[in-house]
Amino acid sequence: MTDAGYLARIHATADLVQSAKSTDTVVDHVRGDLVGLLGPRGCRCEYGTLLGQPPRLRQDGSVTVGRRPYDIYAHGWPAGETQLRAYGNGHYLGRFMLTPDPGPVPPPQARLVAVTLADQTGVALDTVRPVR
C-alpha cells in the first residue's frame, strides 16, 4: 500500500468518527481496515476492563510479550491473540484482539496506521453512544 492509501484510511475513519451515530459503526469499519492492513485471520473488539496479558501491538508499531520486546521479523506474530488497545482522552476504553495468520509481517507503516485507527476508535468510544 502507498502512503496515500494509508492516509486515505486514516481520513476516512476520522470522518466516520465525526459523523457516526453509534460506536458499532466505527468499530466495524476499523475492524475491516485492520484486517486489510495487518492480515489477521480474526479480529474482534473487547470493550471495558482489560483481562489477561496477551502480546501487545504498541503505539510505536512494535510488539511486546509481557514487558519484553518481541522481534516479529525474526519470529512472526506471537502465538495466540495480540491486543491493540483503544484509548480515548488518555483512558483505556477497549481493545482489538487480532488472531494472526502465518505469513509475512506487515510493514511498520501498516502497523502505525493500525495504531492510529485504534486510537480513532477510542475517540468514538469516548464520545459516541453505543447501540447495543
Side-chain angles (χ1 to χ4, degrees), residues 69-129:
Y70 181 84
D71 186 349
I72 61 173
Y73 290 112
H75 308 292
W77 287 99
E81 292 182 308
T82 298
Q83 66 176 309
L84 173 55
R85 294 182 181 180
Y87 293 92
N89 284 328
H91 301 288
Y92 169 79
L93 298 170
R95 64 186 176 182
F96 289 93
M97 298 300 293
L98 308 165
T99 304
D101 217 0
V105 173
Q109 298 93 327
R111 296 192 313 268
L112 289 172
V113 170
V115 168
T116 301
L117 296 176
D119 284 344
Q120 288 178 326
T121 302
V123 170
L125 292 172
D126 193 47
T127 59
V128 180
R129 293 177 175 257

Side-chain angles (χ1 to χ4, degrees), residues 48-69:
T49 307
L50 177 66
L51 298 174
Q53 292 293 323
R56 180 175 169 192
L57 178 58
R58 302 188 61 83
Q59 293 296 114
D60 64 0
S62 67
V63 174
T64 56
V65 174
R67 295 186 180 187
R68 296 178 185 250

Side-chain angles (χ1 to χ4, degrees), residues 9 12-13 16-17 20-37 40 42-47 86 95-98 117-118 120-122 124-125 128-132:
R9 285 181 189 253
T13 302
L16 183 61
V17 168
K21 296 191 181 347
S22 86
T23 56
D24 293 339
T25 302
V26 176
V27 168
D28 289 344
H29 173 84
V30 170
R31 187 177 20 233
D33 273 353
L34 292 175
V35 168
L37 285 165
C43 178
R44 61 188 173 85
C45 187
E46 294 181 346
Y47 303 92
R95 64 186 176 182
F96 289 93
M97 298 300 293
L98 308 165
L117 296 176
Q120 288 178 326
T121 302
L125 292 172
V128 180
R129 293 177 175 257
V131 167
R132 292 185 262 284

